[in-house]
Amino acid sequence: MALRNIVEKGDPILRKRSREVGEVTDRIRSLMEDMVETMRHGQGVGLAGPQVGVMRRVFVAEPEPEQVYYMINPEIIEQEGLVEDTEGCLSVPGYYGMVERPQKIKIRAMDLDGNINEYEFEDFAARVMCHEYDHLEGILYTDKATEVHMLSEEADEEDAGEDIE
Ligand code: NI
């Protein structure tokens, strides 16, 4: 595994729609393992292809420690409710914002073995998945946030919320 460079806001790569993955190759598997390493290194809980400069519909997420999801060609097939909470993004370092997301979602995606699975997520995990999914559409949380704040040195980490990605 290797760390990849994280693309930051301002780079047009983050604004493009990513392309579907045709076949899960070793190259895709290796990319996604690198993405997990890069996500953890940045203390994030999710990372999407475009954030490492790869315009493919893939993201990794770890909403709970050691619970890693590898999502290839994900589709959000159901969503329910709305909750507003804090979010951050590894591509927008130093900031956090308030974003409304579905309380519950159902998502369909291919895994590293090429199998298609359906998952249900609620609350924080649903938020992480929706945030990552948006990256594949070229959308950043700052587009949807009602407020965006700078993390100051004095800011209490607890108040700043968790870094989604
Ligand atoms: Ni992000």
Side-chain angles (χ1 to χ4, degrees), residues 1-4 27-40 60 68 70 112:
M1 295 208 289
L3 286 177
R4 305 249 177 160
R27 193 173 170 156
I28 291 285
R29 281 187 272 268
S30 148
L31 163 70
M32 293 183 85
E33 293 301 346
D34 286 355
M35 286 168 63
V36 171
E37 190 178 349
T38 306
M39 168 186 75
R40 287 175 166 168
V60 295
V68 178
Y70 297 85
L112 288 182

Side-chain angles (χ1 to χ4, degrees), residues 46-48 51 87-92 131-132 135 139-141 164-165:
L47 194 66
Q51 293 186 278
E87 264 177 50
C89 179
L90 291 178
S91 292
V92 192
H131 175 118
E132 299 315 322
H135 275 297
I139 298 167
L140 297 176
Y141 86 85
I164 292 282
E165 161 203 7

Side-chain angles (χ1 to χ4, degrees), residues 45 59 61 63 76 82-88 97-105 121-134 141 162 164-165:
V45 292
F59 70 73
I76 296 170
L82 279 176
V83 189
E84 192 176 58
D85 210 339
T86 54
E87 264 177 50
M98 293 297 289
V99 187
E100 206 170 63
R101 299 284 187 187
Q103 188 271 325
K104 188 174 173 181
I105 60 163
F121 296 104
E122 294 188 22
D123 303 313
F124 181 68
R127 174 171 300 276
V128 174
M129 302 298 161
C130 290
H131 175 118
E132 299 315 322
Y133 179 83
D134 274 354
Y141 86 85
E162 296 178 67
I164 292 282
E165 161 203 7

